[in-house]
Amino acid sequence: MKQLSTKVTSNGHGQDSSYFLGWEEYEKNPYDEMKNPNGMIQMGLAENQLCFDLIESWLAKNQDAASLKRNGQSIFRELALFQDYHGMPEFKKAMAEFMEEIRGNRVTFDPKKIVLAAGSTSANETLMFCLAEPGDAFLLPTPYYPGFDRDLKWRTGAEIVPIHCSSSNGFQITESALQQAYQQALKLDLKVKGVLVTNPSNPLGTALTRRELNLLVDFITSKNIHLISDEIYSGTMFGFEQFISVMDVLQDKKLGNTEVSKRVHIVYSLSKDLGLPGFRVGAIYSNDEMIVSAATKMSSFGLVSSQTQYLLSALLSDKKFTSQYLEENQKRLRSRQKRLVSGLESSGITSLRSNAGLFCWVDMRHLLDTNTFEAELDLWKKIVYNVKLNISPGSSCHCTEPGWFRVCFANMSEDTLDLALKRLKTFVESTDCGRMISRKSHERLKSLRKKTVSNWVFRVSWSDRVPDER
């Protein structure tokens, strides 16, 4: 019998997570308005399809870029030939300027410090290879994106230790939670190499506050460790607050050219802000020359095609377009999020107040039979198999409190979203709990906004967590 590596034979990829299982069920029976109106609606995929018309309009007006031409002459052969892993200078410059524009041009990015990668998945894994040895740990605030168990751990051998956050303060990061996670890692004999955060958060749909960012920078400074800020949703801010990047905090603290700044790294992508996950465009930004050099060499394993770089350098260099796009994208996301939230509230369901992202963090704790993760998965199965909506259970995001779900809203039409909300409302009203909720929805919505503090058992792995009974 042929011997295979443990990478092949183990389940370290995390494909058996309910997050990925929901996708598999959707693919068996996908909803289509005409061909399969009773099919499953995909609400577990964070795609931004709200502004495709703007990009398509730009492509129609810029035939040279779309047709791989320069001044009317084909450059197909030039783009078809080998390109080294440093990337096209004009594209890296356009990426840097777009990142600056999203941050209100308050901070600057040096194109020479950008490393291109085939999406943020590749970028995050590359940083793990650069910063951690197998068995070293990174601290991540919960709930976090389920794919991180694959992206950060599977091939690198790194470990994740959760920073447990609570609904009592809107899942914000606290100093005590950071210290507890750090101490837990030491108890497990793990060397902590850094903290990784998503800002804005996936799955919460909230941007980190300046207080949290200051806390994080102070924490990694005191521990002499790294901070990775995954900012792939930075252009999806639809609230009226400005997006605050970790770069803003470094600048405010006058840490721009210090050893601390060399331990702060940013991951970016065009998958969420521009809605182009299929183009596989990601980036690492670091002030550490050794990290930039090593990550650039590693990028050979996941390059961005020359054709993609050429097309997007033209698009991102069109400042009139990018300005209009970001403004319109913000308006459409705000409108769509409001539509989801109001529809949920008509069913007596609330969600965490959000200001960014392509999803809401939805509170269905009142629909659980018991306050357990088993009850959460039972509810999830009913919603997937009976209601035919694929949403992501909080346990797949390592949430410490059963009953929270991530629900996406930007990967479908308004009509499809309305149908999904109608299906969910019918389900809620069909339950004994639902009938009670419907009668008392207004009172309940008010009371749920006043969160009470709950104590939760600290565990490293979500699979063996048992919450305190409430």
Side-chain angles (χ1 to χ4, degrees):
M1 180 179 176
K2 184 178 180 180
Q3 297 298 312
L4 303 177
S5 74
T6 54
K7 288 283 190 298
V8 174
T9 57
S10 71
N11 63 354
H13 180 277
Q15 193 69 31
D16 57 350
S17 164
S18 52
Y19 175 75
F20 293 111
L21 291 177
W23 286 15
E24 292 178 11
E25 292 304 314
Y26 166 77
E27 289 169 359
K28 295 175 185 177
N29 184 29
Y31 168 81
D32 183 274
E33 184 179 2
M34 301 300 295
K35 298 177 181 178
N36 191 18
N38 295 317
M40 186 176 297
I41 297 174
Q42 175 64 288
M43 305 186 85
L45 182 59
E47 284 186 339
N48 184 1
Q49 300 181 20
L50 301 187
C51 290
F52 278 168
D53 61 308
L54 302 182
I55 297 177
E56 289 170 337
S57 176
W58 184 90
L59 290 171
K61 297 174 182 176
N62 293 268
Q63 288 295 313
D64 268 15
S67 303
L68 306 182
K69 295 180 179 180
R70 183 186 297 124
N71 299 322
Q73 300 297 313
S74 173
I75 57 170
F76 168 78
R77 295 187 181 189
E78 176 184 333
L79 296 175
L81 296 176
F82 173 78
Q83 301 282 345
D84 75 18
Y85 46 55
H86 289 89
M88 294 181 176
E90 59 268 30
F91 178 59
K92 292 169 75 171
K93 178 177 182 291
M95 278 280 284
E97 291 175 352
F98 187 59
M99 292 167 67
E100 291 169 358
E101 184 176 6
I102 288 173
R103 290 154 184 80
N105 293 306
R106 298 183 305 275
V107 296
T108 59
F109 291 92
D110 183 350
K112 295 179 181 178
K113 297 179 180 180
I114 289 179
V115 179
L116 299 180
S120 61
T121 293
S122 176
N124 277 309
E125 185 187 55
T126 297
L127 277 174
M128 286 297 111
F129 277 122
C130 289
L131 303 178
E133 300 289 351
D136 289 344
F138 264 74
L139 311 181
L140 271 69
T142 64
Y144 63 77
Y145 166 55
F148 280 150
D149 294 315
R150 169 200 63 197
D151 302 352
L152 309 182
K153 295 171 56 177
W154 186 39
R155 300 198 299 184
T156 67
E159 298 292 340
I160 293 175
V161 175
I163 304 166
H164 287 306
C165 302
S166 166
S167 63
S168 62
N169 71 343
F171 296 96
Q172 291 191 5
I173 301 168
T174 63
E175 183 176 5
S176 62
L178 281 169
Q179 295 292 351
Q180 281 184 323
Y182 189 85
Q183 292 303 316
Q184 182 69 8
L186 296 183
K187 289 178 183 177
L188 295 169
D189 200 26
L190 297 174
K191 184 177 181 179
V192 177
K193 298 303 291 287
V195 180
L196 186 149
V197 297
T198 54
N199 182 30
S201 167
N202 175 8
L204 297 179
T206 56
L208 291 178
T209 63
R210 190 175 294 274
R211 179 197 64 79
E212 290 174 284
L213 288 166
N214 277 315
L215 176 63
L216 287 164
V217 171
D218 291 345
F219 180 77
I220 65 110
T221 301
S222 67
K223 302 297 186 185
N224 197 31
I225 58 178
H226 295 269
L227 173 62
I228 300 175
S229 183
D230 185 328
E231 301 185 356
I232 66 172
Y233 290 95
S234 54
T236 68
M237 291 285 292
F238 54 78
F240 295 98
E241 310 92 334
Q242 284 186 326
F243 170 69
I244 304 172
S245 168
V246 68
M247 291 288 285
D248 288 296
V249 172
L250 290 178
Q251 182 170 277
D252 291 346
K253 287 178 170 289
K254 296 181 172 55
L255 295 172
N257 295 304
T258 65
E259 286 301 311
V260 174
S261 71
K262 292 182 179 180
R263 298 200 308 274
V264 176
H265 321 279
I266 290 176
V267 168
Y268 186 59
S269 164
L270 298 179
S271 296
K272 309 304 180 181
D273 293 349
L274 283 183
L276 302 176
F279 279 43
R280 307 311 304 148
V281 179
I284 296 167
Y285 188 85
S286 177
N287 286 308
D288 189 314
E289 292 181 3
M290 290 185 66
I291 297 295
V292 172
S293 176
T296 300
K297 295 168 186 173
M298 291 182 190
S299 69
S300 294
F301 299 100
L303 296 173
V304 182
S305 75
S306 301
Q307 296 89 338
T308 299
Q309 291 186 57
Y310 176 72
L311 170 63
L312 293 181
S313 64
L315 183 144
L316 295 179
S317 297
D318 186 339
K319 302 307 178 188
K320 182 178 179 181
F321 170 79
T322 57
S323 176
Q324 292 174 344
Y325 177 92
L326 290 171
E327 181 179 355
E328 185 62 25
N329 186 51
Q330 180 185 54
K331 290 179 181 177
R332 295 186 188 185
L333 286 171
R334 184 186 301 131
S335 174
R336 184 60 63 86
Q337 185 262 3
K338 184 177 180 180
R339 195 180 193 95
L340 173 62
V341 170
S342 62
L344 291 171
E345 289 189 348
S346 72
S347 299
I349 298 173
T350 59
S351 57
L352 185 70
R353 184 177 180 182
S354 59
N355 58 7
L358 311 174
F359 33 72
C360 286
W361 189 236
V362 177
D363 184 359
M364 297 191 191
R365 289 177 291 177
H366 58 289
L367 296 177
L368 300 182
D369 292 332
T370 60
N371 184 43
T372 63
F373 287 105
E374 290 77 9
E376 176 185 279
L377 288 178
D378 286 342
L379 176 60
W380 173 73
K381 289 175 183 177
K382 291 176 183 176
I383 293 174
V384 169
Y385 293 107
N386 299 339
V387 187
K388 291 188 172 58
L389 304 178
N390 177 38
I391 62 177
S392 304
S395 55
S396 71
C397 303
H398 300 260
C399 186
T400 56
E401 305 173 20
W404 291 88
F405 293 80
R406 192 192 74 167
V407 180
C408 299
F409 57 74
N411 62 324
M412 66 195 77
S413 67
E414 286 188 354
D415 288 343
T416 302
L417 178 60
D418 290 343
L419 175 60
L421 290 168
K422 181 179 179 181
R423 288 184 184 181
L424 186 60
K425 185 171 185 177
T426 299
F427 167 72
V428 171
E429 291 177 347
S430 69
T431 66
D432 290 336
C433 177
R435 285 192 290 271
M436 180 182 69
I437 295 291
S438 295
R439 289 196 302 269
K440 300 181 179 179
S441 60
H442 292 295
E443 290 79 8
R444 182 191 158 280
L445 290 174
K446 291 179 182 178
S447 65
L448 278 179
R449 293 190 176 99
K450 299 178 180 178
K451 304 294 184 182
T452 57
V453 177
S454 301
N455 295 317
W456 301 94
V457 176
F458 188 94
R459 294 286 188 270
V460 171
S461 173
W462 71 267
S463 60
D464 61 0
R465 282 203 309 264
V466 180
D468 293 347
E469 292 296 324
R470 292 189 299 165

